[in-house]
Each structure stands twice: as structure tokens, then as C-alpha cells.
Amino acid sequence: MLKKMFSGICLSALIMGAAFADESFTFSNELSSDIVSISGGNAEFAGINDEVSVEFKTERFDAAITASMALSSFDTGSGNALYFGYNADSAYALGIEDWYIEFRPFDILTFGINDTINTSGSYLPVADANAANGNIGSEIALVLRPVKGLRLSAGMGKVNYFGKNTPSKPVVNFGADYENEIFSAGLAFTDLANDFGFGIFASFTGLEGLSLTSGYSYNDKGDLPVTGNIFLFGAAYEKNALSLACDFASNFAKDASDNLYLAGTAAYQFTDLIAAAFTTSFVTGLASDASKVITIEPDVIFTFGNNEVSAGICFEIADALTVTLPVSWTYSL
């Protein structure tokens, strides 16, 4: 069923691409695995994941879909077993990861479904993730662009309840951001009536090769290593073959084990074919007895044609040392 769905999506996108030859169509497939996880003298198969992404953009209409599938090994209670379609948490791992549709009937107006519109300052480059409250697009959104660089948004969650006897109030979100060639500033308010959160962010790109991001996110529940009321800062610099980046995020609480996150990465492009990267991260708490998790990962990346192949070794130092062998192959159009 999933294979037929993907075939239909790709065929439709190709037909639309032919009709709108001056617009853009992108496709990528990433096959990845950590190969093996070695910890405490034990070795386990680390699973295989495949992720497919398709995106199509025109002057008035954008759409994208990302789907994945996994082959995992995990303990069923009576020993390890291989499962296709489930991950180690027994969660379903065969299906749609993300999708969105955007429609612009007028130059100044966008209507989005399942849309994520992150303001630039909410981004951390090493984690390659945004603070959840940096999303001014919410899930079902209207975005107005009255002047160049300015976006005003209002939206609601996909699941809402209306009426006097319902268990929650409607999920309503608002946001705005402004961006030019030098800086950006963004503000978002999420779920005003139920589980209120907000974020305020800024970025600076006024020097060639340098990008700085910073902000504060209240009640953030996103994919960053730190959640809650977090301050964040990110920096990235690129010149010729050298790339550098660093992340910082913390909620400055003293009663949690994962409220301080630091990370850095350095990469160098030796030739058009070969590059190398070194990434490290540190997650801990501010309490004296907080646990610590350190990761160290060197990688080699090969690029040829539409293919990018990377291979490395990852050391995770926590209560015990865990070693994995991350590899990936990405094919892009």
C-alpha cells in the first residue's frame, strides 16, 4: 500500500513538474544505520532506516511529504527479535513522518495545512533543529505578508474541540517575524488557552559566512535536547572548504538531569569527492549529582553525482560507554 502511494505521489509530481518546468521538484532517499551498538561487552544490531522525501514548489502552490520505514532489533521480553515496521520503543515506524501543503491565492496571503514556518533565530545548526516555539506556522495557518520581509500568522491545531462540554479549549496560535539580509526577529505564541507557550528569537547574517541565532522559548516541548523554558544560542561559520558550528541551550534549572546542552562541529572539504567532519555534544544537568552524556563522532563523507555516502564511529559516554558505527547513503535529485 505504501509503495503504491509513493509511486502515485512521484508520478503526480513528475507530471506536475513537466507542466511547470520553471518550478522546482526535489527528491531524496536516505538509507541509514548505526550497524551495531556495543555497550558493556554486549553487541546488538542497531537497525536500518529508510526515509524518502518529495517536495514540489510553484509560484502559487507548495507541497511535500516525508515517509520512513525501519528494520529494528529490540527485546520482546523473551529475547531480541527483528521487526520490520516497528522501532525499539514498539512504536509504529512505517508511514508518514511529515507533510505539508501551502497555497498562495494572492502574493501577500498564504494558507497552510500541517505547515511548519520556523523563524530563523530559533535554529541550532549542530542539532539541525528548531525550538518548537519558533514555528509561527502552527498546523493550520494563515500567513499575511503586508510588506517585504514581514510575516504575520494566525493558526490552530489539527485537533480542536468546540462546545461547552468538551475536554479542552481550541488550540490557537499567533506569530510574526521580520527578516532582511542582515538580521531577523520573530515572536510566536502557542496554544494560548490550554498549554501556553511562547518564543522570541533573533538572528544575524550581516557578515559573510557567519550566522548567529539566539532566543528564549517558554514551555518548549520540541526536539531539542533541552525542553522547558530554554535560552538558546547557535553560531555557524563557513569559508572556502571549512565549516564550523556550535550550539548552546539551557533552562538553567537545578532539578533536572538534562537541562544544559552544548555541541560543536567542524568539517573540511578536502576535494569534491571527500570531506571529513568531527562532532561532539555534551548534555548534563546543573545539579551537582546530575548525569552526563558526552558524544564524540568523527565521520568521512563521499560525494559523487547525486550520491552522498558517510561513515563514522560514535562514542557515547554516560553510565557506560556505547559505541555505534553510523553509516548513511543519500540519493538526491
Side-chain angles (χ1 to χ4, degrees), residues 39-243:
S39 180
N42 298 317
E44 295 182 357
F45 174 58
I48 300 173
N49 297 284
D50 190 75
E51 184 176 275
V52 183
S53 297
V54 179
E55 186 170 35
F56 181 73
K57 292 187 175 183
T58 74
E59 182 181 358
R60 296 296 183 194
F61 170 80
D62 301 339
I65 187 170
T66 299
S68 68
M69 46 191 167
L71 175 66
S72 300
S73 171
F74 57 96
D75 192 346
T76 62
S78 58
N80 285 353
L82 285 177
Y83 279 81
F84 177 75
Y86 285 83
N87 62 24
D89 298 320
S90 299
Y92 199 51
L94 176 63
I96 304 301
E97 293 288 324
D98 195 14
W99 62 274
Y100 81 88
I101 296 173
E102 273 192 11
F103 172 54
R104 292 174 292 279
F106 310 103
D107 290 341
I108 66 170
L109 181 66
T110 296
F111 172 68
I113 301 176
N114 206 50
D115 209 0
T116 299
I117 305 173
N118 290 309
T119 189
S120 298
S122 65
Y123 181 68
L124 290 181
V126 182
D128 190 24
N130 293 75
N133 291 337
N135 174 20
I136 68 168
S138 61
E139 294 179 310
I140 301 173
L142 285 174
V143 181
L144 184 67
R145 297 179 299 280
V147 297
K148 183 179 179 181
L150 177 64
R151 298 184 295 189
L152 307 174
S153 70
M156 60 192 300
K158 288 180 290 186
V159 178
N160 277 276
Y161 302 91
F162 296 90
K164 295 181 179 180
N165 299 317
T166 52
S168 67
K169 299 176 182 178
V171 177
V172 179
N173 312 291
F174 294 96
D177 75 347
Y178 176 80
E179 184 167 1
N180 59 29
E181 294 81 5
I182 299 175
F183 73 93
S184 75
L187 178 66
F189 298 91
T190 63
D191 199 0
L192 273 67
N194 301 286
D195 193 14
F196 175 70
F198 78 88
I200 180 168
F201 307 95
S203 69
F204 174 77
T205 53
L207 296 176
E208 183 178 359
L210 179 65
S211 175
L212 303 176
T213 59
S214 64
Y216 173 74
S217 185
Y218 173 79
N219 194 23
D220 196 280
K221 298 179 179 180
D223 297 327
L224 297 182
V226 176
T227 58
N229 306 330
I230 59 175
F231 293 87
L232 61 88
F233 173 81
Y237 178 74
E238 184 172 348
K239 184 176 182 180
N240 300 325
L242 178 66
S243 299

Side-chain angles (χ1 to χ4, degrees), residues 215-280:
Y216 173 74
S217 185
Y218 173 79
N219 194 23
D220 196 280
K221 298 179 179 180
D223 297 327
L224 297 182
V226 176
T227 58
N229 306 330
I230 59 175
F231 293 87
L232 61 88
F233 173 81
Y237 178 74
E238 184 172 348
K239 184 176 182 180
N240 300 325
L242 178 66
S243 299
L244 303 170
C246 67
D247 291 351
F248 165 83
S250 180
N251 57 26
F252 293 103
K254 294 185 178 181
D255 56 352
S257 60
D258 56 353
N259 51 23
L260 174 64
Y261 159 70
L262 297 167
T265 186
Y268 192 84
Q269 188 78 39
F270 294 99
T271 68
D272 291 340
L273 175 64
I274 301 175
F278 180 85
T279 303
T280 183

Side-chain angles (χ1 to χ4, degrees), residues 2-27:
L2 186 61
K3 184 177 180 180
K4 291 181 178 179
M5 180 181 69
F6 273 115
S7 299
I9 291 170
C10 292
L11 180 59
S12 299
L14 289 173
I15 293 171
M16 293 175 71
F20 299 94
D22 57 333
E23 309 303 340
S24 67
F25 166 75
T26 60
F27 167 86

Side-chain angles (χ1 to χ4, degrees), residues 32-36 297-299 310-314 323-328:
S32 63
S33 175
D34 285 337
I35 305 297
V36 64
E297 182 179 335
D299 295 280
S310 70
I313 181 169
C314 180
V323 180
T324 55
L325 304 173
V327 297
S328 68

